Amino acid sequence: MFGWFGKVSFVPYTKVSDFAVHLKDGRLMGSVCADCGRFAFPPRADCPDCLSGSFEYREISGRGTVHTFSTIAAAPTGFEDMAPYTVVVVDLEEGGRLLAWAGETLDPADVKIGMPVQVVPRIFEETPEIRVYYSVEEPGATWGKAPVRGGEG
Ligand SMILES: [Zn+2]
């Protein structure tokens, strides 16, 4: 059923994307539709409900619970050196879902469906594209955030 787990990959974002800039700053951002208030993570420029094209970013906590998880023993090309590794699908507290890697503070053997976790954005590589992944840590885990940039809410 979760065949796409085998295709887990770093997600590239272009530097012009505000979403990527926020991730680089350590902030997880969802979008809120300016017209109907619909929340979405990852952010959506066009509202899936009312089709409005206006939205603003809203920072989310990264708190969530484990929806499901899988340990990859036979890694796809490019990830062989990392196997075995555990990937986790997290239901975010504010809504939305993401795929993350079990992080430093979490023993993959301890991961259970329904357990509370903290999602932390990580920069894998900064090239013309910022390559980002999420790690899943114990609740209460903290990470570095850049100061809020001027003029942004
Ligand atoms: Zn809307």
Side-chain angles (χ1 to χ4, degrees), residues 75-150:
T77 303
F79 294 85
E80 298 94 335
D81 293 348
M82 299 175 188
Y85 56 87
T86 298
V87 292
V88 182
V89 176
V90 178
D91 285 324
L92 296 166
E93 188 173 284
E94 291 90 347
R97 186 173 283 173
L98 56 70
L99 182 64
W101 296 51
E104 293 170 1
T105 65
L106 207 61
D107 185 340
D110 292 339
V111 176
K112 303 269 189 300
I113 289 171
M115 74 183 282
V117 290
Q118 174 69 53
V119 173
V120 176
R122 308 281 190 194
I123 302 299
F124 173 66
E125 187 178 41
E126 189 175 347
T127 54
E129 293 181 324
I130 299 169
R131 298 174 68 149
V132 174
Y133 69 101
Y134 305 111
S135 78
V136 175
E137 310 289 352
E138 286 187 329
T142 57
W143 66 97
K145 289 187 187 183
V148 174
R149 290 163 195 265

Side-chain angles (χ1 to χ4, degrees), residues 32-38 46-54:
V32 178
C33 174
D35 289 312
C36 76
R38 158 82 181 241
D46 296 305
C47 178
D49 282 353
C50 73
L51 307 180
S52 167
S54 61

